[in-house]
């Protein structure tokens, strides 16, 4: 899944001819220890993940809890160290970045947390919250800091600015809190925004407003966005590409419309089947849900990790060898033996 | 309609105010709705509209600062608002009306085995012996799809979905008439959520139980709903059967709420509602939605009546007078 995936090239891209983020053969494993010292195996949270994210492009990562999407995100943010493989951000490999450089690396990525109230320090007012990243990153001029804070608040539409600045997080509504979080993520003018379920804690009526704001910021700043969610219904309005993760691996990668309208992997089918649109007829049907639960990542199933739950499981193939990434149509990759012509009999 | 006899729960003009330093907060202000046998009524509303307070008011689980608390709650032919607290506790709570609280999966006791926890309500409220209670707990756990060998496990050994199922089994073990589900699936994954919804659809048919589902998630609510009540700022603004509601909501707020749901299978752009719900401390006079309403006109400054638009369809809006 290493093809570059957009045709549109920005000036920056033309400069170095590379994607903004290149995830190469990324493995993030956490070591388990017995009695605190002797080795007792690994939790294989992210296993062999490859993708590129270009300048100004939005990509959605969909998966259930425990599928490794948070580990992937934390690695991109520079908070986890890859066990194997690398994240190359703006030409800089993460594994080679240390100390002061690592801090600079992190300042180029904005992070939007899931729970805005939990993400904002309760004892700081909005001005202080937004000033903090600027101070840490060495913007010494007070006027300059003030100017940037006002500009970003204008952009996230938290107005009137003079009224918002002295407020503490508990004095703001959920939607406003999330705007402060977005403003804080944007204040260092990052090239990449990582949004971890940015709207899941918000009310339905506010949700759309925040999604639109994110899209507008993405367009005006030519931002790359990694949008992480478990809710398929919000992704259509936001990103061009989408990938689905299951048990630490990417199982399907496609253009948004291709995936939503013509999904290939049985797991993607199941996710789509389980998501409902408001319709009174929903109450009359029993939905087909794969039995069981996601596997333990300490001892993942052999072969395809979805095979114990898969309705189209083929004994002797799926449980023996992990499926390769098969390109079913241009830029639509799926890791499933169903789409292999000789059904894996080649091995 | 002729279904009057099947009415399990009838709530009329229910009010619950909380006393605060700033004055009374009108969390539930004159709520009416009905619940029939083997059906589910969904209470839809955004955070802070009073839907969880409504659940507390029905179960009489009042916090210490509760002020005004009146109205009528008819359970079959009995107005349970007239009962004293002790009789209510003995006769109604959990025996006739039980509840699965919000984030129930984290509400389980970590130092008690699942089986004992599911059996406990039966022992306390139905005066069953330990053996009998355990037997009915096992039966209920089979019903909701928790493997019987989980009886001797602790809650931390179970996945989120299994814990949610156990909480549901706890609420159902006394075979109550009404189960109130407060956001039963909001903390769960998509697939788990769908299978819990499947389970509740089945329960609704198999057991003699009616559900009140309280949620802000409109798409999921349609999975279970027979009837819908939309709450806004402490009041019910629309009551309808699910079929007509999801097809054509009447109240401008219901309209806006439906339009704000991102759709998976359609490409309509969702719309958001400008402004914020009013404070319940000092709600505006007249219609409480008027400041955000696109169809506002002069009349809206007066308190709107509840209009019966069609059979079983009521809406609190001047547009339909």
């Amino acid at each position: 899944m290493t093809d570059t995936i957009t045709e549109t090239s920005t000036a920056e891209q033309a400069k170095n001819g590379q994607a903004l983020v290149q995830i190469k053969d990324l493995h993030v494993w956490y070591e388990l220890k017995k009695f605190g010292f002797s080795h007792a195996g690994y939790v294989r949270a992210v296993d062999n993940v490859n993708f590129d994210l270009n300048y100004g492009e939005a990509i959605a990562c969909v998966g259930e809890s425990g599928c490794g999407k948070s580990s992937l995100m934390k690695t991109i943010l520079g908070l986890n160290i890859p066990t194997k493989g690398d994240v190359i951000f703006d030409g800089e490999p993460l594994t080679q970045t240390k100390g002061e450089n690592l801090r600079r690396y992190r300042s180029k990525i904005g992070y939007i947390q899931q729970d805005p109230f939990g993400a904002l320090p309760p004892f700081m007012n909005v001005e202080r919250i937004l000033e903090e990243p600027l101070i840490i990153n060495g913007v010494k001029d007070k006027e300059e800091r003030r100017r940037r804070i006002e500009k970003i608040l204008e952009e996230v539409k938290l107005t009137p600015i003079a009224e918002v600045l002295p407020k503490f997080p508990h004095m703001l509504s959920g939607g406003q809190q999330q705007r402060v979080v977005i403003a804080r993520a944007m204040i260092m003018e990052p090239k990449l925004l990582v949004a971890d379920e940015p709207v899941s804690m918000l009310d339905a009526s506010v949700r759309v407003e925040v999604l639109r704001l994110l899209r507008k910021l993405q367009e005006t700043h030519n931002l790359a966005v990694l949008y992480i969610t478990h809710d398929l219904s919000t992704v259509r309005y936001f990103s061009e590409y989408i990938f689905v993760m299951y048990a630490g691996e990417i199982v399907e990668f496609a253009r948004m419309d291709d995936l939503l309208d013509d999904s290939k992997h049985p797991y993607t089918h199941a996710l789509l089947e389980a998501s409902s649109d408001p319709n009174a007829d929903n109450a009359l049907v029993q939905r087909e849900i794969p039995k069981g639960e996601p596997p333990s990542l300490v001892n993942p199933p052999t072969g395809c990790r979805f095979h114990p739950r898969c309705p189209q499981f083929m004994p002797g193939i799926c449980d023996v060898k992990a499926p390769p990434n098969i390109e079913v149509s241009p830029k639509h990759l799926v890791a499933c033996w169903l789409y292999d012509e000789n059904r894996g009999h080649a091995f | 309609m002729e279904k009057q006899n099947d009415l399990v729960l009838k709530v009329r003009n229910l009010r619950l105010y909380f006393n605060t330093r700033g004055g009374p907060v009108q969390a539930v202000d004159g709520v009416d709705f009905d619940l029939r046998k083997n059906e589910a009524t969904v209470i839809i509303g955004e955070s802070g509209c009073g839907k969880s307070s409504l659940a507390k008011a029905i179960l009489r689980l009042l916090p210490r600062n509760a002020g005004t608390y009146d109205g009528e709650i008819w359970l079959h032919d009995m107005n349970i608002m007239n009962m004293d607290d002790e009789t209510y506790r003995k006769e109604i709570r959990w025996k006739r009306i039980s509840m699965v609280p919000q984030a129930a999966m984290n509400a389980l006791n970590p130092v008690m085995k699942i089986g004992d926890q599911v059996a406990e309500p039966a022992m306390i409220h139905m005066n069953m012996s330990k053996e009998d209670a355990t037997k009915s707990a096992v039966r209920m756990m089979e019903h909701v799809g928790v493997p019987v060998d989980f009886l001797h496990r602790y809650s931390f050994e179970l996945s989120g979905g299994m814990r949610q199922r156990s909480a549901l089994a706890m609420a159902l073990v006394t075979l109550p008439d009404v189960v109130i589900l407060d956001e039963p699936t909001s903390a769960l994954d998509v697939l788990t959520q769908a299978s819990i919804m499947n389970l509740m659809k089945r329960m609704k048919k198999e057991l003699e139980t009616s559900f009140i589902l309280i949620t802000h998630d409109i798409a999921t609510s349609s999975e279970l709903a027979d009837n819908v009540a939309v709450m806004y700022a402490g009041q019910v603004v629309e009551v309808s059967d699910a079929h007509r509601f999801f097809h054509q909501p009447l109240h401008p707020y219901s309209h806006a709420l439906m339009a704000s749901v991102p759709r998976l299978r359609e490409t309509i752009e969702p719309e958001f509602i400008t402004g914020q719900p009013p404070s319940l401390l000092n709600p505006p006079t007249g219609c409480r939605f008027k400041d955000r309403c696109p169809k506002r006109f002069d009349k809206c400054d007066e308190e709107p009546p509840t209009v019966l638009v069609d059979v079983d369809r009521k809406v609190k809006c001047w547009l339909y007078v």
Side-chain angles (χ1 to χ4, degrees):
Chain A
M1 300 196 183
T2 39
D3 343 47
T4 352
I5 41 181
T6 33
E7 292 84 353
T8 51
S9 65
T10 63
E12 277 177 287
Q13 215 176 321
K15 194 174 67 192
N16 48 26
Q18 277 182 334
L20 174 64
V21 187
Q22 298 170 53
I23 312 277
K24 288 200 168 141
D25 188 30
L26 185 69
H27 293 66
V28 181
W29 292 5
Y30 303 111
E31 193 174 3
L32 289 177
K33 286 185 175 156
K34 223 180 196 170
F35 310 118
F37 53 90
S38 68
H39 175 80
Y42 289 103
V43 177
R44 300 157 75 165
V46 177
D47 236 3
N48 194 20
V49 165
N50 292 285
F51 70 91
D52 281 9
L53 178 54
N54 288 324
Y55 290 89
E57 186 177 80
I59 197 166
C61 167
V62 176
E64 294 182 275
S65 47
C67 75
K69 57 187 197 298
S70 293
S71 294
L72 173 65
M73 172 190 84
K74 282 186 182 156
T75 314
I76 294 174
L77 288 171
L79 301 172
N80 273 348
I81 297 154
T83 314
K84 207 177 119 196
D86 212 338
V87 176
I88 299 167
F89 178 78
D90 210 11
E92 250 180 290
L94 173 63
T95 43
Q96 319 277 304
T97 316
K98 301 245 153 55
E100 184 62 19
N101 287 340
L102 188 60
R103 216 183 67 195
R104 231 189 18 255
Y105 171 102
R106 286 177 186 148
S107 76
K108 286 191 277 187
I109 306 176
Y111 175 36
I112 299 170
Q113 290 88 342
Q114 176 174 10
D115 172 12
F117 189 66
L120 296 172
F123 47 83
M124 285 189 191
N125 61 20
V126 173
E127 183 175 13
R128 177 73 195 166
I129 289 171
L130 296 179
E131 205 175 18
E132 191 94 340
L134 294 170
I135 296 174
I136 290 172
N137 288 289
V139 180
K140 295 219 168 60
D141 181 12
K142 193 148 178 47
E143 290 297 301
E144 157 94 6
R145 291 204 298 256
R146 180 74 185 209
R147 200 178 50 72
R148 281 172 78 168
I149 290 170
E150 281 175 9
K151 183 166 163 276
I152 201 72
L153 283 176
E154 192 78 50
E155 258 189 282
V156 299
K157 299 201 192 77
L158 270 176
T159 45
I161 292 169
E163 264 176 48
V164 175
L165 283 177
K167 282 195 174 165
F168 287 88
H170 71 270
M171 300 154 96
L172 302 168
S173 73
Q176 288 172 323
Q177 287 170 3
Q178 193 59 288
R179 279 162 200 271
V180 176
V181 172
I182 294 172
R184 180 175 64 180
M186 288 295 297
I187 200 144
M188 291 310 299
E189 291 163 7
K191 290 178 177 161
L192 169 69
L193 207 54
V194 176
D196 182 15
E197 310 241 14
V199 295
S200 71
M201 307 282 282
L202 304 177
D203 268 322
S205 62
V206 193
R207 204 172 271 190
V208 180
E209 210 177 345
V210 170
L211 278 177
R212 273 206 201 155
L213 171 69
L214 278 175
R215 192 165 55 188
K216 192 161 159 266
L217 286 173
Q218 190 224 342
E219 281 162 8
T220 47
H221 293 259
N222 195 31
L223 272 177
V225 179
L226 177 64
Y227 178 81
I228 295 168
T229 184
H230 71 271
D231 180 9
L232 276 166
S233 58
T234 58
V235 291
R236 191 193 280 272
Y237 307 100
F238 197 68
S239 39
E240 293 98 55
Y241 287 89
I242 180 170
F243 61 88
V244 179
M245 281 186 83
Y246 182 76
E249 296 176 327
I250 294 181
V251 296
E252 190 163 0
F253 187 107
R255 278 211 176 84
M256 180 62 56
D257 292 338
D258 287 351
L259 190 116
L260 294 183
D261 302 334
D262 184 24
S263 65
K264 298 291 184 199
H265 199 279
Y267 179 65
T268 319
H269 281 314
L271 282 182
L272 286 166
E273 167 74 18
S275 325
S276 47
D277 281 344
N279 185 339
D281 297 335
N282 286 344
L284 308 173
V285 291
Q286 285 273 322
R287 296 190 179 274
E288 298 220 354
I289 306 299
K291 56 192 189 304
E293 275 156 15
S296 146
L297 296 176
V298 181
N299 247 326
T302 53
C304 171
R305 291 185 180 179
F306 188 59
H307 86 257
R309 305 175 71 192
C310 186
Q312 281 153 297
F313 166 57
M314 296 177 287
I317 303 168
C318 298
D319 51 350
V320 177
K321 195 167 187 276
N325 288 320
I326 297 158
E327 191 159 17
V328 281
S329 60
K331 287 166 191 162
H332 190 155
L333 293 145
V334 55
C336 178
W337 284 118
L338 285 173
Y339 302 94
D340 184 59
E341 274 135 35
N342 41 29
R343 292 281 155 99
H345 288 304
F347 60 84
Chain B
M1 279 179 104
E2 296 317 304
K3 289 184 184 168
Q4 281 300 332
N5 300 335
D6 285 350
L7 267 189
V8 176
L9 194 75
K10 193 166 80 175
V11 176
R12 288 292 174 268
N13 202 20
L14 184 65
R15 295 197 300 168
L16 174 60
Y17 292 2
F18 298 121
N19 293 327
T20 63
R21 259 189 294 176
V25 172
Q26 309 182 7
V28 180
D29 194 22
V31 164
D32 295 358
F33 73 92
D34 296 336
L35 181 64
R36 294 197 196 89
K37 199 170 164 184
N38 286 13
E39 289 198 347
T41 294
V42 176
I43 316 268
I44 301 177
E46 294 180 85
S47 46
C49 75
K51 53 193 194 309
S52 292
S53 302
L54 174 63
K56 286 192 187 124
I58 294 172
L59 267 178
R60 218 190 275 190
L61 293 168
L62 307 178
R64 240 189 301 178
N65 65 344
T68 313
Y69 174 56
D70 56 19
E72 295 166 32
I73 303 173
W74 292 87
L75 183 68
H76 296 291
D77 303 326
M78 190 171 28
N79 185 356
I80 56 173
M81 284 298 276
N82 294 337
M83 277 180 185
D84 63 86
D85 285 351
E86 191 55 22
T87 331
Y88 186 93
R89 184 183 71 78
K90 277 195 184 137
E91 296 301 324
I92 304 295
R93 197 179 297 139
W94 219 299
K95 208 165 170 183
R96 308 289 298 275
I97 307 178
S98 68
M99 182 173 179
V100 180
Q102 209 162 357
M105 45 190 270
N106 302 326
L108 295 171
N109 188 340
V111 294
M112 231 173 129
K113 285 176 182 162
I114 292 294
D116 294 344
Q117 270 185 82
V118 175
E120 197 181 27
M123 282 159 67
I124 292 173
H125 296 278
M126 313 287 279
N127 295 323
M128 279 189 193
S129 66
K130 177 131 200 208
E131 290 93 273
D132 289 349
T134 310
K135 260 183 227 154
S136 43
V138 168
R139 214 165 32 238
M140 201 43 74
M141 282 165 77
E142 277 170 358
H143 244 312
V144 300
V146 179
V148 177
D149 57 312
F150 281 21
L151 213 65
H152 302 292
R153 294 209 196 171
Y154 292 95
S155 67
F156 61 83
E157 296 175 286
L158 269 57
S159 68
M162 281 301 160
R163 273 185 268 166
Q164 190 68 35
R165 282 165 197 261
S166 312
L168 197 60
M170 260 175 95
L172 287 167
V173 73
T174 52
L175 297 170
D177 298 324
V178 179
V179 179
I180 302 174
L181 308 155
D182 192 358
E183 304 271 11
T185 59
S186 61
L188 300 171
D189 275 319
V190 197
L191 293 184
T192 323
Q193 192 172 327
S195 63
I196 296 276
M197 278 295 166
N198 274 345
L199 166 71
M200 289 197 292
K201 283 178 211 173
R202 201 159 50 77
M203 293 286 104
K204 200 174 70 178
K205 277 190 209 145
E206 287 175 6
L207 305 172
E208 301 276 281
T209 304
S210 311
F211 290 104
I212 297 176
L213 172 67
I214 293 173
T215 183
H216 70 273
D217 183 344
I218 294 146
T220 329
S221 76
S222 74
E223 291 280 331
L224 196 66
D226 295 297
N227 293 294
V228 179
V230 181
M231 266 188 99
Y232 184 76
Q235 300 177 325
V236 169
V237 294
E238 181 170 352
V239 177
S240 172
D241 59 292
H243 199 75
R244 284 181 289 176
F245 177 82
F246 289 112
H247 187 62
Q248 178 83 61
L250 294 178
H251 196 280
Y253 175 65
S254 323
H255 232 282
L257 206 55
M258 288 284 278
S260 73
V261 183
R263 313 284 169 120
L264 185 60
R265 290 166 189 85
E266 295 159 55
T267 42
I268 357 165
E269 226 1 57
E271 290 298 325
F272 57 86
I273 311 174
T274 45
Q276 277 175 33
S279 151
L280 296 177
L281 206 57
N282 252 324
T285 50
C287 172
R288 293 188 178 177
F289 186 59
K290 65 182 179 195
D291 290 338
R292 306 169 80 186
C293 185
K295 294 183 180 160
R296 180 183 180 166
F297 62 113
D298 297 342
K299 269 280 193 208
C300 300
D301 289 328
E302 291 167 43
E303 178 74 18
T306 303
V307 191
L308 188 71
V309 181
D310 199 346
V311 184
D312 277 350
R313 274 203 103 170
K314 283 187 230 158
V315 59
K316 193 178 169 69
C317 180
W318 280 111
L319 284 173
Y320 297 91
V321 176

